[in-house]
Amino acid sequence: MSSGAAGGLYPDSSTDRSAQEIAMSETTASPAPAVPARPRGLRAALRVVQVLLALFFAVASALPKLIAHSSAADTFAEMGWGDTGMYAVGVLELTGAVALLVPVLQSVAATALSALMVGAFVVQLTYFDGANAATPLILMVPLLVVARARRGHNEELRRLLRARVRRG
């Protein structure tokens, strides 16, 4: 028995719940997004985490690469990736940071940045003997939390992309 029937929301426990849900959904103009309701404090905390991650990736990580700061340039030169690799990673990080702040892109951005952190972890292990290898793993934890918590926006993104493709 569903909690709705047990809690008295449906006077007759034999009522077909899916028929009621269908009837209710037909009365609304557009379906609400399938984003689970969260307490206001949890939503605010998640938003703070997203902003902090975006600031970190934009300022502390991407900026030194994009301005060719000696710390970043020396690291990429040591790996043999040169300026091209440094700028490419910097652009990916900055793009991910901005996308973390765009509601429809939040989950995708967090997932992409997590994948970038997997690459950073591998680089730390292979080129630098594990020095600072924990940093990308630590960053992956809040990124994956954001990706999971904001996954409801993925359907909206799919819908927007499909509409765009149909228009040509």
Side-chain angles (χ1 to χ4, degrees), residues 69-142:
H69 189 270
S70 61
S71 62
D74 294 345
T75 301
F76 278 85
E78 185 178 336
M79 292 186 301
W81 292 17
D83 289 346
T84 304
M86 178 180 64
Y87 291 130
V89 172
V91 166
L92 289 172
E93 289 173 339
L94 183 60
T95 303
V98 171
L100 274 174
L101 303 176
V102 178
V104 74
L105 299 175
Q106 294 168 346
S107 180
V108 172
T111 303
L113 286 170
S114 294
L116 197 61
M117 291 300 97
V118 170
F121 174 72
V122 171
V123 165
Q124 291 294 329
L125 288 179
T126 57
Y127 287 100
F128 303 107
D129 299 324
N132 300 318
T135 303
L137 295 179
I138 292 168
L139 286 168
M140 281 180 60
V141 172

Side-chain angles (χ1 to χ4, degrees), residues 45-54 56-57 100 106-107 109-111 113-114 117 134-150:
L46 187 61
R47 191 66 170 157
V48 167
V49 167
Q50 285 177 242
V51 169
L52 290 174
L53 284 167
F56 172 81
F57 277 103
L100 274 174
Q106 294 168 346
S107 180
T111 303
L113 286 170
S114 294
M117 291 300 97
T135 303
L137 295 179
I138 292 168
L139 286 168
M140 281 180 60
V141 172
L143 285 169
L144 293 172
V145 167
V146 169
R148 173 129 171 87
R150 302 295 193 197

